[in-house]
Amino acid sequence: MPNNEDQTFALKDKLRELVHTIVEGDDFNLHAADEAITALSVLRDLKSSASFSSKFDRLSVPVPSQFRCPISGLIMTDPVILANGQTYDRPFIQKWLNEVHRDCPQTQHVLSHSILSPNYLVQDMISRWCKEHGVELPMPVGDIVSGEPTEAHKYRLRSLLHKLSLSVLDQREAARELRLLAKQMPPFRTFFGDSEVIKKLLSPLSQGVACIDPELHEDLITAVLNLSIDDNNKRVFVEDEKLITFIIDSLKSGTVQTRSNAAAAIFSLSALDINKQIIGKTGAIKYLVDLLEKGHPSSMKDAASALFNLCIAHENKARTVREGVVQVILSKIIVDRVLVDEFLALLALLSSHSKAVAALGSHGAVPFFMDILRDSSISDRSKENCVAILYIIFFNDKTKRKEIRDDEVSNGTLAKLAECGTSRAKRKACGILDRLKISQSSR
């Protein structure tokens, strides 16, 4: 039975003959050139496959020989049967048949036809063996070689979607693998722009999020997050009522990571302007603000990022302020000193709305921002956002001008910033000072 090394040697020998014919022969034709090109292509793929088999070679329990493709030496991801009954991994035997030979690599017998039939028995045996020995089932080789979806991907997807309709244990295994495939294999994401596929993905939710296994819940929402990276999926996901409801329900409950990944999914989906408007009307903003207030620091960052994206759409700013985000952010920065850069960037974005200006004024933001500007540990970026917010408050809320003036007379905060700050910070500070009729030299 020829192994990877034998196949490589045979291909090289064939290539030498073809090159000799092309270079030395008087009857050189295009067919010989095409054969040489395809032989080089197969050699490249065989060389690439060698590195992927090494992790299985290091296992303490050897991989059964019947699970390895005779051409690549890799554990098979999509085993298929040739006309003569021999089993191979689809990507390698398909390339062998299409580009080089019309015979069986193992027996060298000419095949009666080139139809490849799935070997479901071997596929099931490989899956069970991997599970029993704690081995992660490898990705379809077709993705590694060509970067395009293959029949192996489609078979794997059908199998995993079916498992999502079975026992909780099966659902966990399927959701975990879907999560990994969606993260590691961009071509795999392209299958989810279909409402029927989404429906099957959400089949474990038939009794609602409250009844779902926490581990399964986390893997499903993470799979949705990873799938949302594909631009073509963003619009489809947001327009699917059950899917967007699942994301919002995941913001409300679940593990810390579940809620965090739900917020990250909203951040990803809201990259499209139309999605910002749709998501803003779903009630998601309320739960993102709740996550800011009560969540773990890692989930707070995802929530802040999602809110920032959503609030680029002006109509979402009022919704976000109405949910109490200004109070929450001021409390988080003043009391906890967490995510200062992120929170101030969000406040700066919100401050272009009159409701945010009113909320900032009523919650004592002016002295807080002045303190931030005097804090040497605060980044230039945060100071830029602070003075930008103060600038908006000064020109839109006349009741706060005396408070700003009194602080400036006592501390010279804006004058120092106008002298030593970034160019943006200087412009904003000078704008306030000019209106206050306070010059830097008067300090």
Side-chain angles (χ1 to χ4, degrees):
M1 179 184 299
N3 55 26
N4 194 308
E5 186 176 348
D6 293 335
Q7 300 298 336
T8 300
F9 181 82
L11 281 167
K12 285 182 177 180
D13 193 49
K14 177 70 172 178
L15 187 60
R16 288 189 191 96
E17 293 179 10
L18 290 167
V19 170
H20 179 79
T21 300
I22 293 169
V23 175
E24 303 294 340
D26 296 330
D27 58 346
F28 160 61
N29 55 52
L30 292 178
H31 178 70
D34 289 339
E35 280 199 83
I37 291 169
T38 54
L40 279 170
S41 176
V42 176
L43 274 171
R44 178 201 62 196
D45 294 341
L46 287 174
K47 182 67 174 176
S48 298
S49 73
S51 61
F52 295 104
S53 62
S54 60
K55 67 177 180 179
F56 296 103
D57 293 334
R58 292 193 296 268
L59 291 172
S60 57
V61 179
V63 178
S65 60
Q66 65 268 31
F67 294 169
R68 292 183 182 269
C69 174
I71 295 177
S72 69
L74 286 168
I75 191 168
M76 290 184 283
T77 60
D78 187 12
V80 291
I81 305 171
L82 282 183
N84 66 348
Q86 302 294 328
T87 296
Y88 295 86
D89 204 5
R90 185 187 297 273
F92 292 99
I93 191 60
Q94 191 71 68
K95 186 170 283 290
W96 175 275
L97 294 174
N98 289 349
E99 299 183 356
V100 181
H101 300 290
R102 290 295 181 273
D103 57 6
C104 173
Q106 291 179 275
T107 65
Q108 285 78 52
H109 293 158
V110 176
L111 299 168
S112 59
H113 61 77
S114 59
I115 297 172
L116 303 176
S117 303
N119 192 329
Y120 294 115
L121 176 61
V122 170
Q123 178 75 54
D124 184 60
M125 291 170 64
I126 291 173
S127 296
R128 285 190 283 109
W129 183 88
C130 287
K131 179 181 175 182
E132 290 170 1
H133 293 86
V135 177
E136 183 180 328
L137 198 62
M139 294 184 294
V141 175
D143 180 68
I144 298 168
V145 173
S146 67
E148 297 295 331
T150 66
E151 288 301 317
H153 293 114
K154 295 176 184 178
Y155 174 81
R156 185 77 67 87
L157 176 62
R158 289 194 297 269
S159 174
L160 293 173
L161 292 178
H162 175 65
K163 288 178 73 174
L164 286 175
S165 65
L166 303 179
S167 68
V168 173
L169 182 59
D170 286 321
Q171 291 173 351
R172 281 183 190 168
E173 292 176 355
R176 178 66 179 170
E177 188 170 348
L178 282 168
R179 167 183 179 170
L180 293 174
L181 290 171
K183 178 180 180 180
Q184 298 170 356
M185 297 167 53
F188 190 79
R189 300 170 194 151
T190 63
F191 296 124
F192 287 81
D194 180 274
S195 59
E196 284 303 310
V197 175
I198 294 172
K199 181 179 178 180
K200 291 177 181 178
L201 175 68
L202 300 179
S203 58
L205 305 172
S206 57
Q207 296 182 355
V209 168
C211 301
I212 195 172
D213 173 77
E215 183 181 334
L216 173 59
H217 187 182
E218 183 178 321
D219 283 333
L220 278 178
I221 194 63
T222 308
V224 169
L225 166 60
N226 294 337
L227 292 167
S228 73
I229 296 171
D230 187 282
D231 287 341
N232 293 325
N233 289 342
K234 293 184 190 299
R235 184 68 184 269
V236 176
F237 280 18
V238 168
E239 292 181 343
D240 189 290
E241 184 178 350
K242 289 186 177 180
L243 182 55
I244 197 67
T245 298
F246 170 55
I247 295 173
I248 294 169
D249 286 345
S250 299
L251 276 175
K252 303 178 191 178
S253 61
T255 66
V256 169
Q257 197 60 55
T258 294
R259 301 184 72 198
S260 181
N261 287 349
I266 290 179
F267 170 76
S268 174
L269 294 171
S270 60
L272 297 184
D273 288 341
I274 185 64
N275 285 0
K276 293 177 176 64
Q277 300 171 18
I278 296 172
I279 295 171
K281 297 175 183 177
T282 63
I285 288 174
K286 168 180 170 52
Y287 300 107
L288 288 169
V289 174
D290 286 346
L291 198 55
L292 278 189
E293 184 175 13
K294 304 169 186 175
H296 186 273
S298 62
S299 59
M300 282 192 285
K301 187 169 184 176
D302 286 316
S305 298
L307 285 169
F308 188 95
N309 248 12
L310 291 172
C311 288
I312 292 173
H314 191 70
E315 60 267 33
N316 286 332
K317 294 176 183 178
R319 295 184 178 110
T320 304
V321 173
R322 190 164 54 244
E323 296 299 341
V325 75
V326 171
Q327 304 94 296
V328 170
I329 289 178
L330 290 176
S331 174
K332 289 295 178 182
I333 300 177
I334 295 171
V335 177
D336 301 327
R337 285 285 174 153
V338 294
L339 302 178
V340 175
D341 286 347
E342 290 82 357
F343 284 151
L344 288 174
L346 179 54
L347 284 180
L349 178 64
L350 290 168
S351 65
S352 64
H353 198 288
S354 60
K355 290 186 180 296
V357 175
L360 287 165
S362 65
H363 287 87
V366 169
F368 162 69
F369 290 137
M370 288 297 196
D371 286 341
I372 288 286
L373 292 176
R374 289 189 289 269
D375 189 337
S376 60
S377 67
I378 297 297
S379 70
D380 287 342
R381 175 191 169 197
S382 285
K383 289 185 178 182
E384 283 183 355
N385 284 324
C386 273
V387 72
I389 297 168
L390 280 170
Y391 184 91
I392 292 173
I393 292 174
F394 182 86
F395 284 95
N396 290 275
D397 186 351
K398 294 181 180 179
T399 66
K400 297 301 172 185
R401 291 184 179 179
K402 183 178 184 305
E403 191 174 3
I404 294 173
R405 180 184 180 86
D406 290 346
D407 187 285
E408 181 62 21
V409 170
S410 299
N411 300 299
T413 305
L414 294 171
K416 292 173 185 174
L417 191 64
E419 182 179 355
C420 303
T422 65
S423 59
R424 179 182 175 223
K426 287 178 180 179
R427 287 196 306 272
K428 298 297 184 182
C430 288
I432 298 173
L433 291 171
D434 288 345
R435 182 60 67 91
L436 287 173
K437 307 300 183 185
I438 299 176
S439 67
Q440 297 179 57
S441 59
S442 67
R443 291 300 305 155

